[in-house]
Amino acid sequence: MTSIKRPVTLFTGQWADLPFEEVCRLAGEWGYDGLEIACWGDHLDPDRGATDDAYIADRLAILERNGLQVFAISNHLKGQAVCDDPIDDRHHDMLPPSVWGDGDPEGVRQRAAEELKNTARTAARMGAKVVTGFTGSSIWKYVAMFPPVRDELVEAGYQDFADRWNPILDVFDEVGVKFALEPHPSEIAYDYWTTQKTLEAIGHREAFGINWDPSHMVWQDIDPVAFLWDFKESILNVHCKDTKRRLNGRNGRLSSHLPWADPRRGWDFISTGRGDVPWEDAVRMLNAIGYTGPLSVEWEDAGMDRLVGAPEALAFVQGLSFPQPENAFDAAFAQER
């Protein structure tokens, strides 16, 4: 029997209110193999990590004490600001002063881009080969296509993305790290066709790929398993996050500006294994495309305590790592001659 042994990691983005050392202690005690470390809270400062040897040594020592490795670095929040238009109070609420500055939109975008470059440098110094994140989008505001949107406005959005991200990716190339965009509403790639167009806009650069998170596909009625097959050359990281649809004739797919866990929403993020993602089919497809990277639990469930959900999600994901046979089942039918 053979098996693709993939590490199961915990994405720390939803745990950044806790000190890094505490999150490492919890993840280690639960039995996670490692972390996908978020660049917010006190978990990882990419500007400091890009040049400070003692800081990198400290982060790695904390991981080692808790029996953990680092498999990816996340900088979703700063990546969001690279292409977004408008830049507004939402960004002010999630960006540090070093990126927000005086709030001038173009200055915010430029400072965010510089931090993404330092994130690549920090990842390389920590031994992580992938940075996950968002890109932002100057054209997400046109998603309803009304007021009417001219084709050239949409095309300009993809060009803006390429112009802003190519210099960032040059640094990723220099240090041997890749960036994995998570297709997600409000990004330049949020579904099947926009992912295809985004990869084309960036010239299918080797430094740019996909962080596959099926939770965003399920509520859009996109087949997440078929997505894996069609974009198999670009899958760099996997987020294990689930979605539960509640489309009952009153609840809408756009969720009516209602908060998470409100029963009037058309869908909610839910703890891995409790929703509508076809996990077994997905893992079989990951086997088929030869993905050997981590399965990173991104725990989001507004209706469950995370201290219950995170170890439960770990057990569920570990249960998906069944061995594959060395030979096809029908090999036993063959006659010896």
Side-chain angles (χ1 to χ4, degrees), residues 131-192:
V131 170
T132 62
F134 293 148
T135 59
S137 171
S138 64
I139 56 174
W140 172 252
K141 58 182 179 277
Y142 302 144
V143 68
M145 297 299 283
F146 189 85
V149 181
R150 301 189 309 275
D151 289 346
E152 54 264 35
L153 290 177
V154 174
E155 293 303 319
Y158 286 97
Q159 187 61 54
D160 177 73
F161 154 71
D163 291 344
R164 293 182 184 278
W165 276 88
N166 270 320
I168 297 171
L169 294 174
D170 289 342
V171 176
F172 275 77
D173 280 333
E174 288 171 12
V175 299
V177 175
K178 295 184 179 183
F179 181 80
L181 166 63
E182 182 175 334
H184 183 292
S186 79
E187 307 313 315
I188 195 69
Y190 58 89
D191 61 10
Y192 185 99

Side-chain angles (χ1 to χ4, degrees), residues 203-223:
H204 292 275
R205 288 187 65 156
E206 288 189 12
F208 188 91
I210 295 167
N211 175 50
W212 179 80
D213 185 331
S215 67
H216 309 300
M217 301 177 194
V218 164
W219 70 266
Q220 295 184 77
D221 283 339
I222 297 165
D223 183 340

